Amino acid sequence: DQALVITADRLRAVFGGDAALARLSGEDFAALVEGAQLDPKAEQIHAAFAEPFQLGQHRMAVGVDIGVA
């Protein structure tokens, strides 16, 4: 649960109020973005998840896959 909260926080930091964010299922999230340059956003998402999550005494590295439609 803590990892999902961290994920949501990092996505909110990237998109601010410029997107509708939703957790679709499990570990899948979606961002509905209108009129944005998506390449810079994709780079920002990758950068936001480059730092491992701190979960109590443990650090967890997270991979990110991005699709654009």
Side-chain angles (χ1 to χ4, degrees):
D1 289 346
Q2 187 179 4
L4 293 173
V5 171
I6 294 169
T7 298
D9 289 344
R10 291 186 185 189
L11 288 173
R12 278 193 291 270
V14 169
F15 289 101
D18 295 336
L21 301 173
R23 178 177 173 212
L24 300 178
S25 65
E27 57 192 38
D28 295 329
F29 286 79
L32 179 60
V33 183
E34 184 177 344
Q37 295 292 336
L38 296 179
D39 286 339
K41 287 295 183 191
E43 291 174 18
Q44 291 172 7
I45 292 168
H46 278 290
F49 287 89
E51 178 69 25
F53 291 3
Q54 187 68 43
L55 302 172
Q57 299 282 335
H58 305 282
R59 291 173 60 82
M60 181 176 82
V62 176
V64 178
D65 295 316
I66 299 172
V68 177

